[in-house]
Structure formats: C-alpha cells, structure tokens
C-alpha cells in the first residue's frame, strides 16, 4: 500500500496519484467561472457588487448560492471515483482532519490549485472586507476536504473551532434531513472553553450549492443527520501572516472580550 508517513512520502503520494489516477471529469480540475451559480457569476467581476448576493444570516456568518447543481453533482462523482480507485489499487486515502472519519483531502488528488484560485480570486476579496482583523485580507493557503454524514457513516460533528482563519463550508448534496450547522460564539484561544451565551446560539440549515462563510474561531458543530446523506466541501483558508502572529491576550474580535 502507498503510505503517507512524512512530508517526503506525501510528495511522492501526490506525484503518484497525478501520474496514475485517471479523473472521471477531467474538466473539473481546470478552474472555470461556469461552476458559479448564476446569481454569483453576475457579480464576481464587479468588486463593488460582490457583497450584493451575500446574506449575513447572523452577525459574522454569511451565506450565498455559490455553485451550480451540475458542478456539485459532478464533484461528488469525482470524489467517489477517487475513493474507488484508492480502494481498488490499495492506496491510502487520508482522512480530512482529526474529527471526521469519512471524506477525502482535495489536494491529494489534484484540486489544490483549483481551490487556491477560487480562494485568491473570489473568496479573498470578500474576506478582505468581512474579516481583515483575522487575516481575511491576506489569505494565502488552504486545507480543503470533503466531509460526509449518513446514518451508516459519521452522524454529527462535535463543537469545535477550526485550524483556519476563515472557513468556507459548501454543501454539495445530497438529500438529507437534520445535519444543521450549530454556531456558539466566536472565541480566541484563551476563551475557547467559555460557554456560549443564549444569544450566540444559532442553527443553520445547509442547502446544496450554498456556501456558509465564517471565522475559523466561530465555534460550531454539525448536528445529527436524521436521514439521507450530507456531503460538504470545507475550505480552511489561512493567512500565513495571521497564523504567525501570537495572541498575547484576548483580542477584540473574541466574543468574550467585552464580557
Ligand atoms: O459538517 C460540516 O458542515 C462542518 C464540518 C466542520 O466543521 C469541519 O470539518 O471543520
Ligand atoms: Fe469546523
């Protein structure tokens, strides 16, 4: 089995996949604005209109329709195709993070550059306006992955903060009930264990094709799925500048700062 044990073997892994894996939908790997839902495509090239399709569903949490249904459908099929190839060829498939037991890392099979372009050209202009205080104006790398929930897979995800500065969470499908995202307040590293205030608690229903954008330190969980299957693309977007800035004390963006 092709195993990943260190950065060197990871580079070998990615090179091996690139050489041997035949994509199902090769056109997906080349970024193209046709992936955008019409309402977003209309505004992406006009900086002054960029925020017009984006709704602040709760302070500091934003949502809008990002991808077409066709893109979501093909993307899920590509993920399945890669998973099948790994299984048939006895190739390790990395898990997305330490919490999710189902899914894939998108950079492992060629999607790093596509998503880097999405982040730099279309998401960063938005986060520059919305989250400049946590590096939203200097995002420069990402860790992106797929998470999956179903009655025979992961059912939910515990309350946590992300290892990101800004997170873009896009629902790709399929049909499901339950599985709402729950948010419980923005906290810095010093205050992460403080309980949510009543007014900080909000449940958000996720719709296929729609994106939810939030600060990485906006604590959240995925609630129990009740039926069907929920497949989401998660982009942990990072700013090396922000990641390297130590937090000496509780910052003003922390929900606990003024308490
Ligand atoms: O399942 C979701 O929508 C959230 C996943 C998540 O929070 C994460 O992977 O960090
Ligand atoms: Fe998360």
């Amino acid at each position: 089995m092709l195993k990943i044990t260190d950065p060197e073997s990871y580079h070998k892994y990615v090179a091996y996949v690139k050489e041997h894996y035949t994509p199902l939908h090769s056109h997906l790997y080349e970024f193209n604005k046709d992936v955008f839902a019409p309402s977003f495509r209309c505004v992406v090239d006009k900086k002054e209109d960029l925020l017009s399709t984006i709704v602040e569903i709760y302070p500091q949490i934003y949502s809008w329709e990002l991808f077409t249904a066709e893109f979501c459908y093909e993307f899920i099929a590509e993920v399945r195709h890669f998973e099948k190839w790994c299984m048939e060829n006895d190739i390790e498939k990395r898990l997305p993070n330490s919490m999710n037991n189902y899914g894939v890392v998108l950079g492992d099979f060629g999607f790093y550059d596509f998503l880097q372009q999405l982040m730099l050209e279309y998401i960063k202009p938005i986060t520059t306006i919305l989250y400049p205080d946590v590096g939203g104006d200097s995002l420069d790398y990402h860790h992106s992955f797929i998470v999956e929930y179903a009655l025979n897979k992961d059912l939910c995800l515990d309350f946590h903060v992300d290892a990101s500065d800004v997170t873009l969470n896009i629902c790709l499908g399929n049909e499901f009930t339950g599985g709402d995202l729950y948010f419980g307040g923005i906290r810095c590293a010093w205050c992460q264990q403080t309980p949510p205030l009543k007014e900080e608690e909000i449940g958000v229903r996720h719709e296929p094709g729609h994106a939810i954008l939030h600060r990485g330190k906006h604590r959240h969980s995925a609630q129990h799925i009740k039926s069907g299957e929920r497949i989401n693309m998660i982009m942990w977007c990072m700013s090396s500048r922000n990641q390297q800035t130590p937090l000496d004390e509780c910052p003003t963006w922390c929900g606990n700062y003024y308490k």
Side-chain angles (χ1 to χ4, degrees):
M1 185 186 222
L2 194 55
K3 275 245 162 241
I4 303 165
T5 48
D6 54 25
E8 199 191 324
S9 59
Y10 180 63
H11 287 303
K12 279 196 188 139
Y13 174 94
V14 172
Y16 183 90
V17 171
K18 192 168 180 201
E19 194 180 335
H20 293 94
Y21 173 63
T22 308
L24 178 67
H25 295 301
S26 49
H27 67 276
L28 288 179
Y29 291 78
E30 198 68 42
F31 187 84
N32 183 326
K33 276 190 270 186
D34 288 346
V35 303
F36 291 141
S39 53
F40 190 59
R41 202 164 47 213
C42 283
V43 298
V44 282
D45 292 324
K46 296 183 231 140
K47 276 223 161 57
E48 64 282 7
D49 291 345
L50 205 51
L51 294 188
S52 64
T53 56
I54 297 177
V55 179
E56 187 171 29
I57 51 178
Y58 181 85
Q60 302 291 324
I61 303 172
Y62 300 86
S63 182
W64 73 102
E65 193 176 5
L66 178 63
F67 289 147
T68 62
E70 187 188 357
F71 173 78
C72 295
Y73 181 82
E74 289 190 343
F75 204 89
I76 292 175
E78 186 65 41
V79 168
R80 295 276 182 254
H81 187 63
F82 175 67
E83 290 178 322
K84 185 163 170 271
W85 179 79
C86 289
M87 200 139 85
E88 287 173 357
N89 293 282
D90 203 17
I91 290 178
E92 179 179 356
K93 182 176 74 69
R94 286 201 304 162
L95 291 178
N97 56 48
S98 58
M99 304 172 294
N100 289 90
N101 298 305
Y102 294 86
V104 291
V105 178
L106 293 167
D108 290 0
F109 59 113
F111 279 113
Y112 190 88
D113 292 349
F114 171 102
L115 294 167
Q116 180 78 351
Q117 193 175 347
L118 173 70
M119 180 182 81
L120 293 180
E121 288 183 22
Y122 303 101
I123 303 305
K124 191 168 136 197
I126 298 171
T127 58
T128 295
I129 301 167
L130 302 179
Y131 311 118
D133 53 338
V134 289
D137 54 351
S138 53
L139 299 178
D140 52 2
Y141 66 106
H142 66 90
H143 174 64
S144 301
F145 50 89
I146 295 288
V147 291
E148 277 188 58
Y149 306 85
L151 294 185
N152 61 348
K153 295 187 173 171
D154 284 332
L155 291 172
C156 59
L157 189 66
D158 290 344
F159 196 48
H160 66 280
V161 293
D162 293 336
S164 69
D165 297 313
V166 174
T167 296
L168 183 71
N169 176 336
I170 307 139
C171 185
L172 299 177
N174 281 321
E175 288 192 9
F176 58 92
T177 57
D180 284 2
L181 271 178
Y182 160 86
F183 288 90
I186 300 164
R187 292 291 186 279
C188 70
W190 304 100
C191 303
Q192 259 161 40
Q193 302 309 324
T194 58
L197 306 174
K198 259 270 144 290
E199 62 271 22
E200 288 180 317
E201 296 191 284
I202 171 152
V204 180
R205 164 101 195 137
H206 223 341
E207 302 285 344
H210 284 67
I212 291 176
L213 185 69
H214 61 86
R215 289 169 186 266
K217 305 306 174 240
H218 205 143
R219 300 178 299 178
H220 56 283
S221 61
Q223 295 185 325
H224 269 240
I225 190 157
K226 301 239 167 61
S227 69
E229 134 184 279
R230 175 160 91 81
I231 303 171
N232 284 32
M233 178 195 289
I234 312 287
M235 286 187 76
W236 284 356
C237 303
M238 271 83 70
S239 149
S240 12
R241 193 191 71 199
N242 195 55
Q243 295 274 326
Q244 282 152 18
T245 310
L247 271 186
D248 295 330
E249 52 190 25
C250 179
T252 52
W253 53 257
C254 177
N256 210 37
Y257 182 81
Y258 295 105
K259 301 284 151 359

